[in-house]
């Protein structure tokens, strides 16, 4: 197991269905992208595991079908420290 470095981790959460853009404010700093095949990709910085569980709880509370959760590289290709995107907000 590798020790986590400073700064937030970045995640891509894929759910079934096209989530209406009105929900984007409820998800805070997480971006929403409609994909082909009727899925929505939620992605962005998540400061810690508690916040990741909070994000997944919101997915559950909306009754969405969770397809995948994946740790991803920062959008600018950098390391986790010094995040360029707004971190997840509860």
């Amino acid at each position: 197991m590798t020790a986590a470095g400073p700064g937030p981790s970045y995640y891509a959460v894929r759910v079934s269905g096209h989530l209406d853009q009105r929900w984007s404010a409820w998800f805070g700093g997480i971006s929403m992208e409609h994909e082909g095949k009727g899925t929505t990709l939620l992605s962005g910085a998540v400061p810690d595991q508690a916040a990741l569980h909070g994000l997944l709880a919101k997915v559950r509370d909306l009754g969405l079908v969770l397809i995948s959760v994946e740790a991803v590289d920062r959008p600018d290709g950098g390391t986790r420290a010094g995040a360029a995107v707004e971190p997840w907000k509860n």
Side-chain angles (χ1 to χ4, degrees):
M1 177 185 257
T2 304
S9 296
Y10 293 80
Y11 287 91
V13 176
R14 187 167 282 108
V15 297
S16 182
H18 282 167
L19 195 56
D20 193 287
Q21 288 297 321
R22 67 184 175 161
W23 291 105
S24 63
W26 194 54
F27 282 104
I30 298 296
S31 68
M32 293 176 44
E33 177 184 339
H34 291 166
E35 299 180 309
K37 300 182 183 178
T39 60
T40 299
L41 181 66
L42 306 170
S43 61
V46 180
D48 55 32
Q49 290 293 299
L52 176 60
H53 284 268
L55 171 61
L56 295 175
K58 287 186 176 199
V59 167
R60 178 206 60 215
D61 292 348
L62 287 176
L64 301 173
V65 175
L66 180 63
I67 296 173
S68 65
V69 178
E70 182 179 4
V72 296
D73 291 332
R74 255 179 46 180
D76 63 5
T79 61
R80 293 179 353 164
V85 298
E86 186 175 345
W88 172 260
K89 298 176 188 174
N90 288 326

